[in-house]
Amino acid sequence: PVSNRSLDTGYGVAAMKGFYESLGKTFTRAQLASRDKMANKFEELFNKNYLIGGQTEADSNYQKWVAYRTQVITDFVYRIKTEVKEPNGIVLSTAVFASLSDSLDNKKQDWKTWFNNGWIEIATPMAYYTTSSAVNSNVKTMIKNGGEKCLYYTGIASSYSGLPAKENKAFIEASYSAGACGYVIFSGAQIVGHTDVQDVLSSGVNYKTAVLPHAKINIILSASFEDMLSK
């Protein structure tokens, strides 16, 4: 869930215990036996009235808490990569906020590290904006930050946002212009049963059957060559 200073989440027992111990502190047996007691003690880390260093120490503790949760998620992504993806030879994708600052501040997701380390094959920025210019600029910035070790499929949501069907075309063009390899639409319910959206998509880039950018290279080359011949 979204988690920032004003709408904070993530205070599970394991998370609080892990962070508390990382600071060299331990909960009492009574606190460990009650989540409420544990949480009350834990929140003192961010309350200046309980700290020698006052507000400065409280702010420092909170930033450490943010960094701790971010690292937990990054460690989890690495485990998926090493324990699930590599042994089974599967393609790993992730849907994240297109803005790195939003992703870090509100989701504790450091996708820049994941992408630059090559842990993810397909990055799907959730570029759920209401203008094609916003889609273009945010996806372009994401690719700049994320590097070239993964493919980018922009997530667009023009119909979901209540925009006219024709905006799908503008958003798709903005995605490709930004450097993305493909796109996905949120959500399927905005296509199925909506002939206006289907007409826009099928008359544009989807007038031919799509070939996935992460398909086998011979399929991609064959489709590309056929496209050149048809033109």
Side-chain angles (χ1 to χ4, degrees):
V2 170
S3 176
N4 51 41
R5 197 69 186 261
S6 62
L7 185 65
D8 215 2
T9 59
Y11 291 79
V13 170
M16 289 191 293
K17 185 174 182 293
F19 179 67
Y20 209 65
E21 291 176 350
S22 76
L23 298 178
K25 301 176 181 292
T26 55
F27 289 109
T28 65
R29 184 174 298 178
Q31 290 163 350
L32 289 171
S34 168
R35 186 199 174 280
D36 288 341
K37 289 181 179 179
M38 179 187 286
N40 288 336
K41 183 63 178 177
F42 188 81
E43 289 177 355
E44 291 179 6
L45 291 171
F46 316 121
N47 189 327
K48 65 180 181 180
N49 298 320
Y50 291 91
L51 302 170
I52 295 175
Q55 190 62 51
T56 299
E57 186 177 353
D59 291 341
S60 176
N61 284 340
Y62 187 78
Q63 290 307 312
K64 291 176 183 177
W65 172 229
V66 169
Y68 174 83
R69 286 180 289 176
T70 302
Q71 190 60 48
V72 166
I73 296 175
T74 292
D75 290 344
F76 178 73
V77 173
Y78 181 74
R79 285 191 61 194
I80 293 296
K81 175 248 184 191
T82 56
E83 298 177 26
V84 179
K85 182 179 84 71
E86 292 180 343
N88 297 287
I90 62 174
V91 173
L92 188 62
S93 67
T94 184
V96 291
F97 284 2
S99 165
L100 179 58
S101 59
D102 283 348
S103 191
L104 283 171
D105 294 343
N106 297 322
K107 289 286 191 177
K108 312 298 178 277
Q109 298 173 343
D110 181 13
W111 52 250
K112 183 177 181 179
T113 294
W114 314 345
F115 300 168
N116 282 308
N117 284 335
W119 300 348
I120 305 290
E121 275 88 3
I122 300 171
T124 304
M126 295 186 289
Y128 302 157
Y129 305 108
T130 54
T131 64
S132 57
S133 60
V135 170
N136 181 273
S137 61
N138 279 277
V139 172
K140 188 177 294 183
T141 301
M142 181 187 220
I143 295 174
K144 180 180 179 181
N145 285 320
E148 300 179 351
K149 292 184 178 179
C150 62
L151 301 173
Y152 296 88
Y153 298 175
T154 303
I156 61 174
S158 52
S159 293
Y160 183 82
S161 300
L163 300 176
K166 65 179 182 180
E167 290 301 312
N168 284 280
K169 177 178 180 292
F171 281 37
I172 291 169
E173 290 177 346
S175 166
Y176 282 125
S177 175
C181 305
Y183 69 94
V184 295
I185 293 179
F186 181 81
S187 66
Q190 309 307 314
I191 301 176
V192 178
H194 294 271
T195 55
D196 54 343
V197 175
Q198 293 173 23
D199 289 343
V200 168
L201 295 176
S202 61
S203 64
V205 69
N206 293 112
Y207 77 98
K208 290 183 179 180
T209 301
V211 176
L212 295 173
H214 65 274
K216 292 182 179 179
I217 190 64
N218 62 309
I219 295 176
I220 294 174
L221 290 175
S222 177
S224 299
F225 188 60
E226 288 180 11
D227 186 54
M228 284 188 282
L229 289 177
S230 70
K231 291 177 179 177

